[in-house]
Amino acid sequence: QFSGQLSTFDFRRKTSPCYNCLYPEETEAAEIRCATMGVFAPLVGIIGSMQASEGLKLLLGIDTTLCGKLMLLDALTMETRTIKMSRDTSCPVCAQR
């Protein structure tokens, strides 16, 4: 609908969480399908542009990325909120780094 999420996972950093740290497979989540609920079309472009910016910062070696953070965007009110994330030390995907 009107909400988007953005993060950067940089596996060159030992402290970087991975996608599985954020959304573990064993977690039961209420699944809301975009095909059923719809997506506010401009939101896709906004999140896509922000992710492209994050990718370019990684390529350029700029250290101020969203690594270890999750940005939540509400496109209805155009408000953002950023939450800190930590790597799960028992994560089956990235614990061996």
Side-chain angles (χ1 to χ4, degrees):
Q1 297 189 350
F2 291 94
S3 61
Q5 300 176 359
L6 178 68
S7 187
T8 300
F9 304 108
D10 186 355
F11 299 117
R12 296 172 296 184
R13 297 183 188 186
K14 291 183 180 184
T15 59
S16 176
C18 71
Y19 188 80
N20 193 72
C21 291
L22 180 59
Y23 296 110
E25 281 189 51
E26 64 272 0
T27 303
E28 288 290 324
E31 190 173 312
I32 300 173
R33 297 178 51 86
C34 294
T36 305
M37 298 303 292
V39 177
F40 185 55
L43 176 66
V44 178
I46 293 167
I47 294 292
S49 294
M50 294 169 87
Q51 190 61 59
S53 175
E54 287 295 297
L56 288 171
K57 288 191 286 184
L58 283 175
L59 289 172
L60 295 171
I62 298 171
D63 200 31
T64 55
T65 66
L66 286 173
C67 185
K69 300 173 190 168
L70 176 66
M71 177 187 282
L72 307 170
L73 171 65
D74 180 348
L76 192 58
T77 61
M78 290 309 290
E79 294 178 341
T80 62
R81 192 170 104 204
T82 304
I83 302 169
K84 289 186 180 181
M85 303 188 313
S86 297
R87 186 172 68 88
D88 181 358
T89 56
S90 61
C91 175
V93 176
C94 70
Q96 300 303 318
R97 272 191 287 129

